[in-house]
Amino acid sequence: MSEMRVIGIRVEQPQNQPVLLLREASGERYLPIWIGQAEATAIVLEQEGVTPVRPLTHDLIKILIADLGHTLEEVHIVDLKEGTFYADLVFENEVRISARPSDSVAIALRVGCPIYAAESVLEEAGLVMPDEREDEVEKFKEFLESVSPDDFKATDS
């Protein structure tokens, strides 16, 4: 497993599809995950430090976890099947709950726990972007121009 950092959310045009971009904390691979608009909004609001008047779903989950006396230790992005990513919320005592990566990342940002991606996922969908001196945002924009969600679907090879 490689620890990942949330770079941010970008919108792929012309489909107007949000993409979550993660980057290895101690590596050079990026992991793009196409996500829904609601989850993208939740991630952006948390990254920008915006606190809604009433708790959003991911805020409510954070409150439930804490009030029920549990601790979310880690988020693991564990699999990629037919273009769909899978994640686990890992609690104390190794209790695992399967969840979408977009929800998992939104919750992880709120509770401050680390995010990891399985090596098999990074081997299949991770990308190394050239020219490390370039700004991450510019590299991501160039990347988005060259890929589509279909690039991450399984093939019959």
Side-chain angles (χ1 to χ4, degrees), residues 138-152:
E138 290 305 314
K139 287 188 285 184
F140 186 53
K141 286 178 184 176
E142 290 174 18
F143 159 73
L144 285 178
E145 292 173 7
S146 67
V147 297
S148 72
D150 292 336
D151 292 335
F152 299 96

Side-chain angles (χ1 to χ4, degrees), residues 111-125:
V111 302
C113 74
I115 301 163
Y116 294 93
E119 185 60 32
S120 61
V121 172
L122 287 167
E123 285 176 6
E124 186 171 345

Side-chain angles (χ1 to χ4, degrees), residues 87-102:
D88 287 339
L89 299 171
V90 181
F91 293 88
E92 72 274 5
N93 300 323
E94 289 298 310
V95 172
R96 292 173 180 262
I97 297 175
S98 182
R100 296 182 303 181
S102 55

Side-chain angles (χ1 to χ4, degrees), residues 64-128:
L64 284 170
I65 291 169
D67 287 358
L68 291 172
H70 294 285
T71 303
L72 179 61
E73 300 284 336
E74 300 172 344
V75 164
H76 293 176
I77 300 170
V78 294
D79 207 354
L80 175 59
K81 295 178 186 172
E82 298 178 14
T84 301
F85 288 88
Y86 294 82
D88 287 339
L89 299 171
V90 181
F91 293 88
E92 72 274 5
N93 300 323
E94 289 298 310
V95 172
R96 292 173 180 262
I97 297 175
S98 182
R100 296 182 303 181
S102 55
D103 291 323
S104 301
V105 167
I107 296 165
L109 288 173
R110 283 162 173 74
V111 302
C113 74
I115 301 163
Y116 294 93
E119 185 60 32
S120 61
V121 172
L122 287 167
E123 285 176 6
E124 186 171 345
L127 303 168
V128 177

Side-chain angles (χ1 to χ4, degrees), residues 30-72:
Y30 289 79
L31 185 62
I33 302 174
W34 276 259
I35 65 174
Q37 188 61 52
E39 295 77 20
T41 300
I43 291 168
V44 169
L45 288 175
E46 185 62 25
Q47 282 191 306
E48 293 180 356
V50 175
T51 304
V53 176
R54 299 285 298 147
L56 299 176
T57 303
H58 300 98
D59 302 309
L60 178 60
I61 292 170
K62 173 188 173 185
I63 293 166
L64 284 170
I65 291 169
D67 287 358
L68 291 172
H70 294 285
T71 303
L72 179 61

